[in-house]
Amino acid sequence: VIRLSVAPLFEDVAAVFNDTQIINLTPGLATQCGFSFKFDPMGNAMFFASLQNCFSQNMDDKMFSLVMQFRLPGNHMTEDPVYRVGKTCSYTPWTSREILCDRNYMEVSVRTLPDIQTIPKQPTGGPKARSDNFRRGAEVYIFQKGYAIANTPTRLVLRSPHNAEETYLQNVTGVPMRVLSTSTFFEQKWLVTRVDATAVCPTPVAFTPEVITWYMPKHIDPLFSSDAFTMLEVYMGIDAKRLDTEEMAARNYSVLVTEAHIIVEIPVGAVGGYFKSHIQDDQYFVTYTIEPMLELLWIEEVAHENTSYKVLFPITTPPMARPPQVRNYTVPEQAVFVLELGTFNLDVELLNITFPTMVLTVAECNARGFNVQEQRSPDNTLKTFRMEVPFSDPVVFKEVCFCVTTFTLQLIYGLVIFPEYAPFSHSAVVDAVLLDIGMPLDYAKLLLNGLMATCLLLSHLQECFSNGTMTALAVKVESAPGLNPGQLTLSDPACGPTYSDDRFAYFHFTVNSCGTTRKFINNVMLYENEISLPDELEVKLKVSCYYVANITRTLAFLTRPRDNEPFAETGTGRLMVRMRLAQDASYNTFHQEEDYPVVRYLRQPLHFEVELTTSSDPKVALVLDHCWATLNEDRDSRPRWNLIINGCENPEDPYRVVFHPVEVDARVHFPSHVKRFEVYMFSFAEDAVEQSGQVFVHCDVVICDASSPTGGPCSGQCVNQDNLKRGRSCFMLFRPWQTITELIGSLSLLSTVNDMSKTSLRSIMYIM
C-alpha cells in the first residue's frame, strides 16, 4: 500500500498517468482502481493506494511509481493551487496470493502461469494492453458492475467494492466475513486455463465504552483448501504503518493469538485515533475512530503456497453521550460571574451567546468586557470555553430582598461543529448571593438560617395576559439546595406547577382559579395568589396582576365588496434550464467544460441531471416530457431514437432509461426543480460507418405549478403532458474521439450495433 498525507483538506484529487494525462478520481473510480481516503476532524487527509492500482507505473512487479495531483482550496482572488506528489515503492518478493482489504474495496492478486498472455487492463486507465484470448464483452460487463480486472507481468489482479452484487456474507468461526470468489478463464488455441481467486474481508467489531475488540478468524475457511497450515507472521499497525512491540505497549494495544482467533484490543481514546463530535436532537455526542491494520502471513502445508493477508480496517464506535457542563467558579465578593463550559472536542467552536435581552457574538462579548476565552487540555485534545461577566452588566438580573442581593445570569451558548457546520446550543442559569456587608454578623446568620428565607429560597418572574391568565416562574437559588420546586403549590394546594425540574417551577392559571383573590383599588382590579411550600410557612412568594376596570378602546375598519375572484396577471419572465453530466451515480460532482472530451463506452451508464436554475419558488416543478437522440443538431432530423416519451421510458428500448429520486441536500434546495435519469451509452448503426458522426441528445421539459396537480405532468413522470408551457430546454452532444488511446488506453468493445471501440462525451448546453 502507498500512503500519502495531505493537509489541509483538498478540493479534488487526480491521478497523473504517463506524466501527461490527468484523470479525476471520482468515488466510484477510486474504488475500482484501488484508492481510498480518510479525513480527521481538522481537515487533514490520508491517501492510500494499492501498489497494483490502475495508474501506477509497474517495473517488473518490483518497483511501483505513482504521481497524484491535489487541488487545494484557494480564495476568490487567485486560482486554487495545484500540487503534484510522487511516490516510488519497492515490493518483493510476492507471495503466491496477496489479499488486501481496504475501507472501500477488496483486492486479490494471484501468481499466474508463465504461458498466460496479457489481458486488458480495466478500461479506466493504464498502459495499452490487449489479448485476443480474453472475452472482451465479459470484461466490459465486469467494469459496468463496478469490478476491476487486470494483470501485471506475473500476476492477475481482481478488485471489487465490498457491497458488490456477487459478494456474500459467510460466518467464519463466529465472525461475519464478506466473500468474493472468482474464476478467470484464459482461452488459447487448444487449451483453456482457469485461475481461481478469492478475497475475504471482515465486517464490524464489538465495542464497550472503554475498549474496542476486533476478532479475526485464524483459519479463514474460504481461503484454505485444508486445515493444515502454519501461521508465519502476525503484525499490527495503524493507518497502514506497521508498529513494533514497544510502540504497541506504549499505546496499550494488544494482539492475542488463540486457537481460533486473532484478537486485537484497542482502548477507546488511544493514540492513533481521534474523537469526532455529533449532534442528535440537540444533544452532544462523540465517536472515536481508528484504523488498525492487521498483517498475516501463512503457508498451506499441502499446496505449499503462501498467502499475504492485509486488512486496513476503519473502526468507529457508536455515538457516546457527552452532555456539556457549566462549571461555576464565581466568587460573589469579586462581583463577577466566572463560568466554564465544556468539555468538547477540538472540532467545536463557540459562535455566540444569547442573553435575555440580546444575542452577542464572541467578538462582541469580548468588546463588552466578558473575556470569552478558549482553553485547551494539556494534551491538546479537548477544549472548554471560559467567560467572565460582571454583576454590574445589564444582562445580569438583580433582585434585592431586605439586605440580600441575588444576581442571576441566564444564557444560551450557541455552538457549531466543523467542518459540517452542525449547530447546537446549551443553556444555563447561575446565581450568586451577596449579603449587606454592613449587616451585623449575628443578624446575617439568623437571616441565612431561615427567618427571612423567602428571598433566599426563591426568585420569580411573572406575566399577566389580557385574556385573564397569569404565569409565574419560581426559580430556586443556590442558597436553598434542598428545596424541591416540584412540591410548590398555589393558594389551592391542588394547583401544582404546570412544569418543574430541579431548578424551577412554572405555573399557568386563570384569575378565577387556584384560590386567586380579587380586590378593587379605585379603578383597578388586583388579582393575587401565593406560591408556597406546604407546611413551610417561611417559604411564600406572592404573585399579582392588575387590570383597569373601566376602559374604552376604539377600532375602525372599512369593508369593500369583491367583484370577482383573485387572478394572476399575465406576464413574462425568464426561466433557465441546464443539463449536466454527473461523474457517477452519486450526482455530487459534474463534468466541467475543461474536462471534455470525457470518455464513455458502449452500454456504460450516463447520469444526467436537468435543473431549473433561476427559480426559488417551491411550487414550481420541472418534468421531463420527451428526450431523444439524433445524429446532428437538428432536433427534427432522422434517424431518431426516443429515450423518454410522455414522461416515461421508451418501452421499445432494451436498455430503458432509469429515473433517480432527488432529495434535499446542501446543493439541492427544491427537489421539484431537478430531474435525474440514467441512460446507457449507445450509438446509431450509421455511426459505425462514419466515425466522425455525432449523437445529440435533446430534451423537452414542462414547467408547471406543483401545488395544484390536476393531472398531467405535475402528477409525476409517466403521464400525458398536453396543456402546459413547453420549452426546448437543452441538448447534449456525444462526439467520437479519435485519440482515445492517449487518454485511457486501448480497449475494444463488441456491440450488436457496431464495432466502434470508444466514444467520448462533449457537452454543449444552452436554452433553445
Side-chain angles (χ1 to χ4, degrees), residues 139 260 272 331 339 411 423 451 479 500 504 531 624 719 728 732:
E139 205 270 344
V331 178
L339 307 177
L411 69 164
L451 182 61
S479 57
S500 66
F504 66 87
I531 299 174
L624 298 174
V719 294
R728 299 178 180 179
M732 191 167 282

Side-chain angles (χ1 to χ4, degrees), residues 278-285 321-324 344 412-417 422-427:
H278 307 272
I279 292 298
Q280 298 179 5
D281 299 325
D282 207 37
Q283 301 299 311
Y284 182 67
F285 293 83
R322 294 289 189 271
F344 300 102
I412 301 174
Y413 294 91
L415 304 115
V416 67
I417 297 174
F424 68 105
S425 62
H426 183 79
S427 59

Side-chain angles (χ1 to χ4, degrees), residues 133-145:
N133 66 358
F134 189 78
R135 295 179 182 266
R136 292 172 293 177
E139 205 270 344
V140 174
Y141 173 81
I142 291 172
F143 171 72
Q144 292 178 346
K145 288 292 185 178

Side-chain angles (χ1 to χ4, degrees), residues 222-238:
L223 299 179
F224 286 86
S225 57
S226 68
D227 293 334
F229 76 102
T230 301
M231 186 67 69
L232 302 177
E233 295 179 357
V234 177
Y235 290 102
M236 181 191 172
I238 296 294

Side-chain angles (χ1 to χ4, degrees), residues 637-711:
S637 64
R638 293 289 187 262
R640 160 178 172 150
W641 183 253
N642 290 320
L643 303 172
I644 298 174
I645 304 173
N646 291 328
C648 297
E649 62 270 23
N650 182 1
E652 298 179 4
D653 194 337
Y655 299 96
R656 296 188 181 183
V657 167
V658 177
F659 295 100
H660 293 294
V662 181
E663 304 290 344
V664 174
D665 58 27
R667 182 177 64 86
V668 178
H669 302 290
F670 306 102
S672 63
H673 293 184
V674 180
K675 288 293 181 290
R676 292 170 177 168
F677 64 97
E678 179 181 333
V679 178
Y680 289 94
M681 185 59 194
F682 68 95
S683 65
F684 288 90
E686 292 83 352
D687 201 24
V689 179
E690 180 59 44
Q691 289 289 313
S692 62
Q694 299 176 341
V695 177
F696 288 78
V697 170
H698 311 261
C699 278
D700 282 346
V701 301
V702 175
I703 299 172
C704 53
D705 184 2
S707 64
S708 302
T710 56

Side-chain angles (χ1 to χ4, degrees), residues 403 435-441:
C403 297
L435 296 178
D436 187 344
I437 59 175
M439 183 186 302
L441 181 61

Side-chain angles (χ1 to χ4, degrees), residues 55 216 259 266 317 341 421 424 451 503-504 524 533 538 591 692 695 712 729 740:
F55 308 111
M216 172 64 72
E259 190 67 27
I266 303 172
T317 65
L341 174 67
Y421 295 94
F424 68 105
L451 182 61
R503 293 288 300 158
F504 66 87
V524 172
L533 191 64
E538 69 273 12
H591 289 291
S692 62
V695 177
S729 62
I740 189 68

Side-chain angles (χ1 to χ4, degrees), residues 104-171:
N104 56 334
Y105 68 88
M106 56 178 68
E107 177 186 283
V108 57
S109 162
V110 295
R111 184 182 297 133
T112 56
L113 299 176
D115 57 345
I116 292 180
Q117 302 296 317
T118 301
I119 65 173
K121 232 181 180 187
Q122 50 268 23
T124 51
K128 183 175 181 180
R130 179 167 179 169
S131 173
D132 292 334
N133 66 358
F134 189 78
R135 295 179 182 266
R136 292 172 293 177
E139 205 270 344
V140 174
Y141 173 81
I142 291 172
F143 171 72
Q144 292 178 346
K145 288 292 185 178
Y147 304 99
I149 182 171
N151 72 317
T152 69
T154 62
R155 308 189 68 81
L156 172 68
V157 183
L158 291 146
R159 195 174 298 112
S160 166
H162 288 292
N163 58 351
E165 293 181 9
E166 282 73 17
T167 62
Y168 59 92
L169 283 175
Q170 180 174 336
N171 190 295

